[in-house]
């Protein structure tokens, strides 16, 4: 079974703003081996905030899900990640031989490139990075007293509720039936993504990048909706601008 450490994605796997084949392999393995954090364990889902230590905000879905899978698989306790440049700012360095979680980004040259996120445990001075990251944290967690009930097993809608909880600190509830159906739906999305050619793919099954993009968008709307009902505001415009910057230019 492949994992992030030994997975060598092909050139085609890194095409565009998403890394769908690479991510599909990680998600499918996480579902099969029971490490996927978005599935319930003993009836509970523990939504995990993992943020970019450079921006202080939660990763977007296309990066958050693989990072969370790596966190679970390796038993890391860190809730922040950073690039090599971030580690330099935190006055530490990546341990020799450590492999990060790869992601794509659009550079200043307008081209897509790839880099890697690393956890504190992968650095020579974990405490320095943890302290640096904590000082940068700006992700609001305003809904710690609220509960989001997952009502849909459709891949994007289910993940939207999960990501909303990660963004906001809300608790999650889901029935065993919905969780099991989502599991099947998500595996179908991943399997379809891993088909060798477009001709082999089922056009009725959504693309993984579309699932993750729509989940991100719906999650943001869900958080804002719950906050409005609760009379909470946290400066969504500022967060939105930071989110756009994080996903356009590597720093």
């Amino acid at each position: 079974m492949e994992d992030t450490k030994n997975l060598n994605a092909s050139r085609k796997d890194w095409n565009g703003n998403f890394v769908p084949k690479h991510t599909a392999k990680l998600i499918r393995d996480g579902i099969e081996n029971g490490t996927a954090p978005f599935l319930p364990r003993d009836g509970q889902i523990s939504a995990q905030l993992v943020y970019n230590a450079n921006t202080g905000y939660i990763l977007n879905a296309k990066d958050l899900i693989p990072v969370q899978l790596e966190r679970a698989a390796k038993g890391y306790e860190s809730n922040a990640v950073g690039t090599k440049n971030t580690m330099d700012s935190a006055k530490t360095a990546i341990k020799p031989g450590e492999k990060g979680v790869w992601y794509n980004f659009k550079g200043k040259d307008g081209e897509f490139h790839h880099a890697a996120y690393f956890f504190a445990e992968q650095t020579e001075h974990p405490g320095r990075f943890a302290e640096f990251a904590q000082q940068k944290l700006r992700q609001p967690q305003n809904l710690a007293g609220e509960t989001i009930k997952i009502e849909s097993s459709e891949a994007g809608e289910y993940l939207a509720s999960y990501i909303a909880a990660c963004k906001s600190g809300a608790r999650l509830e889901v029935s065993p039936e919905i969780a099991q159906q989502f599991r099947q739906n998500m595996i179908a999305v991943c399997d379809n993504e891993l088909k060798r050619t477009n001709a082999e793919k089922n056009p009725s099954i959504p693309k993984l990048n579309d699932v993750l993009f729509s989940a991100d968008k719906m999650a943001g709307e869900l958080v804002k909706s719950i906050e409005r009902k609760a009379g909470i505001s946290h400066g969504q415009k500022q967060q939105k601008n930071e989110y756009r910057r994080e996903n356009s230019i590597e720093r």
Side-chain angles (χ1 to χ4, degrees), residues 20-34:
K21 289 187 181 298
H22 176 76
T23 301
K25 293 172 185 176
L26 295 180
I27 291 175
R28 200 187 196 293
D29 284 353
I31 292 174
E32 292 293 341
N33 63 30

Side-chain angles (χ1 to χ4, degrees), residues 105-108 244-251:
F105 65 94
K106 190 173 184 180
K108 294 180 180 179
R244 286 176 174 172
R245 291 176 64 189
E246 176 185 346
N247 290 282
S248 61
I249 298 175
E250 161 63 359
R251 295 186 273 177

Side-chain angles (χ1 to χ4, degrees), residues 156-190:
E157 293 178 4
Y158 182 106
L159 286 177
S161 294
Y162 172 73
I163 294 167
C166 294
K167 287 175 178 284
S168 66
R171 296 185 297 270
L172 277 174
E173 290 183 358
V174 64
S175 71
E177 295 77 16
I178 287 180
Q180 179 59 28
Q181 185 59 55
F182 163 77
R183 185 180 186 277
Q184 297 174 12
N185 292 342
M186 198 68 216
I187 287 178
V189 170
C190 293

Side-chain angles (χ1 to χ4, degrees), residues 12-226:
K12 291 181 180 178
D13 291 349
W14 297 105
N15 184 38
N17 193 31
F18 295 90
V19 287
K21 289 187 181 298
H22 176 76
T23 301
K25 293 172 185 176
L26 295 180
I27 291 175
R28 200 187 196 293
D29 284 353
I31 292 174
E32 292 293 341
N33 63 30
T35 61
F38 43 76
L39 290 177
R41 296 181 184 179
D42 300 323
Q44 301 294 320
I45 299 178
S46 177
Q48 305 166 9
L49 167 63
V50 181
Y51 64 98
N52 183 336
N54 193 48
T55 68
Y57 289 111
I58 191 171
L59 300 170
N60 63 22
K62 74 176 181 67
D63 300 330
L64 177 66
I65 298 301
V67 162
Q68 288 181 332
L69 287 165
E70 180 74 348
R71 182 178 186 266
K74 297 295 178 62
Y76 295 148
E77 296 184 359
S78 307
N79 66 346
V81 291
T83 65
K84 181 181 180 300
N85 289 342
T86 311
M87 300 306 174
D88 291 342
S89 298
K91 298 186 183 340
T92 186
I94 308 301
K95 293 177 183 177
E98 288 289 340
K99 305 295 182 182
V101 181
W102 292 100
Y103 70 97
N104 273 15
F105 65 94
K106 190 173 184 180
K108 294 180 180 179
D109 57 5
E111 299 294 325
F112 287 102
H113 308 271
H114 63 267
Y117 284 125
F118 296 87
F119 290 89
E121 290 88 343
Q122 297 178 278
T123 70
E124 295 179 350
H125 302 284
R128 291 182 188 175
F129 175 68
E131 183 178 354
F132 174 87
Q134 184 61 38
Q135 292 173 350
K136 290 281 189 174
L137 178 59
R138 290 189 283 174
Q139 179 65 42
Q141 296 276 277
N142 292 330
L143 302 180
E146 303 289 336
T147 298
I148 297 174
K149 186 174 182 180
I150 300 177
E151 303 280 4
S152 173
S153 62
E154 190 274 327
E157 293 178 4
Y158 182 106
L159 286 177
S161 294
Y162 172 73
I163 294 167
C166 294
K167 287 175 178 284
S168 66
R171 296 185 297 270
L172 277 174
E173 290 183 358
V174 64
S175 71
E177 295 77 16
I178 287 180
Q180 179 59 28
Q181 185 59 55
F182 163 77
R183 185 180 186 277
Q184 297 174 12
N185 292 342
M186 198 68 216
I187 287 178
V189 170
C190 293
D191 285 346
N192 202 49
E193 195 69 51
L194 293 169
K195 298 292 186 183
R196 293 177 60 86
T197 66
N198 287 332
E200 295 176 306
K201 294 182 179 182
N202 183 342
S204 67
I205 296 177
K207 295 178 181 180
L208 180 57
N209 57 354
D210 291 338
V211 169
L212 296 177
F213 179 80
S214 65
D216 245 342
K217 184 177 179 180
M218 286 188 288
E221 293 302 320
L222 178 57
V223 170
K224 287 190 289 184
S225 175
I226 298 173

